[in-house]
Amino acid sequence: MQAASQYLAQRLPAHSIVIGEMAPALCLNTLFAAAPVQPGLSNDDNPVARLHATAIVVTRTPFWINWWKARYPKIMQPSHRVATLAIGGRWHRVVDIYKVQE
């Protein structure tokens, strides 16, 4: 996870606000603010505007891709993707990082 944090820190502006299911774990070793977003559990009501997000971490599964696309179709475009990370360990995940503004 440390390598993923370093990689992300090189691709986002300093003091970014990163949101999404895996955001807190990815931002442990950065200066970024991070907030989890999980439907029905935490921060799922207009999270981009409410949390002033500058980037979204989207776990590459149909559930998460569809959930974010339904709410933010303009952000969830290939032109907004700034990184793709493979997170190893006990629960292997692939996540995409999308910038909120161009």
Side-chain angles (χ1 to χ4, degrees):
M1 194 68 72
Q2 186 173 357
S5 294
Q6 291 171 347
Y7 182 86
L8 188 60
Q10 295 170 355
R11 277 150 185 79
L12 294 177
H15 307 293
S16 289
I17 300 170
V18 183
I19 65 172
E21 170 206 9
M22 296 287 294
L26 284 176
C27 296
L28 283 176
N29 299 311
T30 70
L31 295 176
F32 302 149
V37 174
Q38 294 187 358
L41 296 176
S42 62
N43 298 322
D44 72 343
D45 180 27
N46 196 18
V48 169
R50 207 164 48 86
L51 300 170
H52 307 286
T54 56
I56 301 171
V57 175
V58 180
T59 302
R60 198 181 277 182
T61 64
F63 173 81
W64 286 110
I65 293 168
N66 292 334
W67 192 85
W68 285 104
K69 277 186 177 181
R71 286 151 185 81
Y72 299 101
K74 291 182 181 178
I75 295 171
M76 293 289 296
Q77 297 295 317
S79 61
H80 284 258
R81 189 179 319 130
V82 295
T84 297
L85 303 169
I87 310 300
R90 187 173 186 181
W91 296 286
H92 180 75
R93 302 262 194 287
V94 174
V95 297
D96 293 311
I97 316 300
Y98 292 87
K99 60 184 174 180
V100 172
Q101 299 173 345
E102 294 203 53

